[in-house]
Amino acid sequence: MAEAEGKAGIEAALAALAAHARTLVPGVVGEAMAYALAGEGKRVRGLLVLAAYRACGGSGDATGLAAAVETVHAYSLVHDDLPCMDDDDMRRGRATVHRAYDVPVATAVGLAMIPFAALTASRAAASLGLDDTHRAAVVRRLMQASGAAGMVGGQLLDLDAEGRQVTLDELQEIHRGKTGSLISCSVAIGGMGAKASSRQIAALEAYGDRIGLAFQIADDVLDVTATTEQLGKTAGRDLDLHKSTYPALLGIEGARARAEMLAREAVDGLHQAGIAAPDLEALARFTVERRS
Ligand code: GRG
């Protein structure tokens, strides 16, 4: 699978979801959902779904599953940017949803997108020929990663840690939940879509756990080394919010080295499990080499 081709498929699936959102949710909230879904992201999580699906022998069209994960991710960005959270004005190179619309609309958008994502995942799993049990397992895995034991839990820890120094272990726990859980879930449900064995899924999860952490470390580094223009979101926000970060704890070079080590270990783990997946290897490299 060429990355560009995969990304184009994900964009098309998200555009279809945006059109669906407009008809499903009348008025400004449906409009704003479409705005959030169409924002220009890198689609890393969706690409991970597709790469894992192919790596496990899937030969159908898994873009629906990819779009479901991207929908959860898009909702998390909408809520993350709210004044009661990171309070940001810019995302994906344009106004955040609460700036383009308002806070009540952005709040409603995020909430509406969670069940919307779950139903999208369920439909996509059915279209890949999964039976009810496996279909339910995909939706459960996505909601688990999004919830208190995953992304929401990590975000709560992150908010709680603002303004105070945390240890490396605490920071790792925050990152694993806030960012890593959805990344790990992306490869897991890609594998599930292809009816992978539990051994294959465990290997994908281990890969996802490592690159999830590496992804957030790279994010922390970019926050202090890249410009707002490059990032499409406000640079230097972690410092403004007095957040603990990997560069603050390990230095920029130390943080980069940690991310690179995790990406290498992620790929080694796949090889040890006998999974040959050039796309997953390329995505592990992209995670740490990206410039935005
Ligand atoms: C109810 C407490 C509570 C939380 C709601 C808001 C939220 C859940 C979680 C926040 C999760 C979050 C935004 C984590 C940051 C992850 C991250 C590194 C985002 C940037 O991802 P990219 O670089 O963005 O992939 P693009 O725009 O390319 O998709």
Side-chain angles (χ1 to χ4, degrees), residues 176-272:
R176 274 215 161 96
K178 189 178 84 164
T179 304
S181 58
L182 198 56
I183 289 189
S184 199
C185 162
S186 302
V187 282
I189 70 171
M192 290 162 89
K195 305 190 182 85
S197 67
S198 46
R199 195 175 154 271
Q200 282 175 310
I201 290 174
L204 288 170
E205 300 250 15
Y207 160 92
D209 184 53
R210 288 176 174 129
I211 66 153
L213 207 46
F215 190 90
Q216 182 61 54
I217 296 174
D219 210 73
D220 286 2
V221 170
L222 287 168
D223 188 66
V224 286
T225 58
T227 62
T228 296
E229 203 171 44
Q230 285 166 327
L231 296 178
K233 62 181 179 181
T234 316
R237 204 70 190 123
D238 294 339
L239 273 178
D240 294 346
L241 295 171
H242 306 288
K243 287 200 185 197
S244 291
T245 62
Y246 269 83
L249 291 178
L250 298 177
I252 291 178
E253 285 317 312
R256 279 198 179 120
R258 175 73 62 112
E260 278 159 20
M261 185 188 76
L262 284 162
R264 267 197 312 276
E265 286 176 357
V267 171
D268 290 348
L270 287 180
H271 290 163
Q272 279 154 21

Side-chain angles (χ1 to χ4, degrees), residues 42 45 73 75-76 80 92 155-156 178-179 215-216:
K42 294 180 288 296
R45 295 152 192 81
H73 172 55
Y75 123 71
S76 80
D80 191 49
R92 293 176 160 175
Q155 178 78 346
L156 287 171
K178 189 178 84 164
T179 304
F215 190 90
Q216 182 61 54

Side-chain angles (χ1 to χ4, degrees), residues 112-143:
M113 281 168 83
I114 305 168
F116 191 72
L119 291 170
T120 301
S122 178
R123 262 196 315 275
S127 80
L128 291 173
L130 267 60
D131 62 26
D132 282 355
T133 306
H134 290 90
R135 203 171 146 181
V138 166
V139 178
R140 194 162 50 239
R141 183 69 189 76
L142 181 59
M143 290 297 106

Side-chain angles (χ1 to χ4, degrees), residues 31-48:
E31 270 306 313
M33 276 174 82
Y35 179 89
L37 286 164
E40 268 185 39
K42 294 180 288 296
R43 314 300 184 213
V44 168
R45 295 152 192 81
L47 288 168
L48 285 166

